[in-house]
Amino acid sequence: MKTITVKRLTEAFQLEVLAGADRMDRVISRPRTHRPGLEFVGYFDFFPMERVQVLGRKEINYLLTLTVEERLLHIGNVVKYHPPCFIVTSGQQEIPYLTLFCDQEGIPLLRTSETTTEFIAKLDGYLLKALAPELSIHGVCVNVSGIGILLRGKSGIGKSETAHTLIRRGHRFVADDIVVLKKLGPSTLLGTHNVTAREFLALRSVGLINVVRQYGRRAFQDETRIVLDIELSPWQENALNNELEVIPQFTEYLGVQIPHIEIQLQPGRDVAGLIEAAANNWYLKQHGYSAVDEFMKRVEDGMQQ
């Protein structure tokens, strides 16, 4: 299971540390936050204690309505479960009692000036990616007309050169050589780089190039959802499928099935153009259009006439 430390979270969002500064090494292992409103009134049946606890104005204002004894009791009942950390939103100041409890129990208490709704949306998105199961594979990742594509094949087959051609045609580069895949959901696979090689593309006979420096910021993006797995392979006579529609094939990464296409290479073949066609064809299928269905309907209509 992947984890991150409270310190890393604090640095990522530039949070103010109010208590528990010596326990910033506490780990976060769950991708969702929680607002402990029900827990402050004594209901703990489904308390996700392993999540980051966010305290908005509703929670803080409720605690302020209590007597000192009641407040200490309710806060103590929550703090004793030792969640990774507490984060107070909207820059709220009326929380000395929280600081006392968190210092005693060694739980980081953090604060942000952002509103609760905006902060939770950002934090949930950040944690979802940071804690997502991931896999590094050899390949190239590009975004073609908004469609994320993973290019695979043996070393030297032409993956990087094909990506370079796609960049020249206005598409976007994501990663070369090492592609990091992150599973964000049952059917969602994100492709990104490994940070070290960010923006770099290696071209045989030319060397390493910085895509952003050569082609501008629009030629690069940090990540993309992978929806097509395209394998580049050597040309084989009589091995291409020339039927009206090929049998659907899939490649599985981290339990997510991605449509798979094989493109064989031969001098003169417009591989980048074929990849563009495959991306556009996938897009049309998602919107209910099938070229084969339309073609067969025309054939049937012609026979009837």
Side-chain angles (χ1 to χ4, degrees), residues 71-81 101:
R71 186 183 307 158
L72 295 178
L73 175 63
H74 289 298
I75 294 174
N77 287 337
V78 173
V79 171
K80 70 180 181 180
Y81 285 95
F101 268 96

Side-chain angles (χ1 to χ4, degrees), residues 245 280-298:
E245 187 159 30
N280 292 332
N281 199 43
W282 177 89
Y283 177 83
L284 291 172
K285 285 182 178 179
Q286 302 309 300
H287 288 76
Y289 173 79
S290 169
V292 173
D293 290 345
E294 182 179 2
F295 177 77
M296 294 305 298
K297 185 178 184 304
R298 291 185 185 182

Side-chain angles (χ1 to χ4, degrees), residues 116-153:
T116 308
T117 303
E118 292 179 352
F119 180 72
I120 287 179
K122 292 180 181 179
L123 182 54
D124 280 346
Y126 172 83
L127 291 176
L128 184 63
K129 293 179 182 178
L131 300 175
E134 65 179 48
L135 172 71
S136 295
I137 66 169
H138 175 67
V140 174
C141 184
V142 291
N143 182 287
V144 177
S145 300
I147 297 169
I149 296 176
L150 182 63
L151 295 179
R152 295 187 301 109

Side-chain angles (χ1 to χ4, degrees), residues 97 107 114 125 127 145 177 186 195 208 244-245 257 264 282:
Y97 45 87
I107 303 174
E114 294 193 63
L127 291 176
S145 300
D177 192 31
V195 181
L208 203 63
L244 291 180
E245 187 159 30
Q257 288 196 329
Q264 294 188 7
W282 177 89

Side-chain angles (χ1 to χ4, degrees), residues 10 67 69 78 98-100 105-106 119 134 159 185 190 223 256 284:
T10 303
T67 64
E69 292 77 12
V78 173
L98 276 175
T99 305
L100 176 64
E105 297 294 329
F119 180 72
E134 65 179 48
K159 302 182 295 295
L190 192 74
E223 57 193 29
V256 180
L284 291 172

Side-chain angles (χ1 to χ4, degrees), residues 8 82 147 165 196 256 270 287 305:
R8 177 178 167 185
H82 285 83
I147 297 169
T165 302
T196 303
V256 180
D270 182 7
H287 288 76
Q305 292 176 4

